[in-house]
């Protein structure tokens, strides 16, 4: 697996920069349009909370993309951070390496 040194952007950063600010929207407007509390959306765009599958569906409807787009952003972010934490040297292998 190719290891990236720089972490991927938090999906909330992408939501804020590429979808909210690009359209001259406010957090309040988007939160209302998504049917969620402004504080919850603010926590996401500030990188304190992730994007749930339910929110991914709402965002896909609101911005015309797919839920998978948002889920992939979140998964890539979480996986990168997990890769930094896991000590692979202490894990037992249960497969045979090819000769």
């Amino acid at each position: 697996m190719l290891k990236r040194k720089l972490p991927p952007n938090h999906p909330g950063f992408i939501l804020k920069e590429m979808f909210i600010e690009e359209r001259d929207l406010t957090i309040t407007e988007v939160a209302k349009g998504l049917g969620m509390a402004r504080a919850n959306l603010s926590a996401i765009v500030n990188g304190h909370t992730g994007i749930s599958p339910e929110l991914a569906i709402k965002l896909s409807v609101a911005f015309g993309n797919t839920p998978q787009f948002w889920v992939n952003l979140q998964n890539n972010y979480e996986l990168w951070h997990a890769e930094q934490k896991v000590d692979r040297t202490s894990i037992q292998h249960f497969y045979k390496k090819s000769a």
Side-chain angles (χ1 to χ4, degrees):
M1 173 180 225
L2 179 64
K3 295 209 179 201
R4 298 185 326 180
K5 293 190 189 303
L6 294 176
N9 286 320
H10 187 277
F13 174 82
I14 294 168
L15 172 60
K16 181 181 176 187
E17 295 287 320
M18 296 179 66
F19 293 90
I20 295 174
E21 289 181 354
E22 282 284 319
R23 291 165 175 80
D24 291 322
L25 299 169
T26 66
I27 301 296
T28 303
E29 289 173 315
V30 175
K32 184 176 180 183
L34 295 172
M36 65 187 297
R38 185 198 184 285
N40 292 344
L41 185 58
S42 181
I44 292 166
V45 300
N46 289 311
H48 302 298
T49 306
I51 292 176
S52 68
E54 293 82 7
L55 182 55
I57 293 168
K58 290 180 179 184
L59 291 170
S60 72
V61 173
F63 292 109
N65 48 26
T66 67
Q68 196 64 43
F69 170 79
W70 297 103
V71 169
N72 285 344
L73 288 176
Q74 188 64 46
N75 285 341
N76 289 340
Y77 179 82
E78 290 174 7
L79 184 59
W80 188 91
H81 285 279
E83 286 278 353
Q84 308 313 301
K85 293 178 185 177
V86 173
D87 176 10
R88 293 171 179 261
T89 61
S90 64
I91 300 172
Q92 183 178 349
H93 293 208
F94 296 102
Y95 62 90
K96 292 182 181 182
K97 292 185 178 181
S98 302

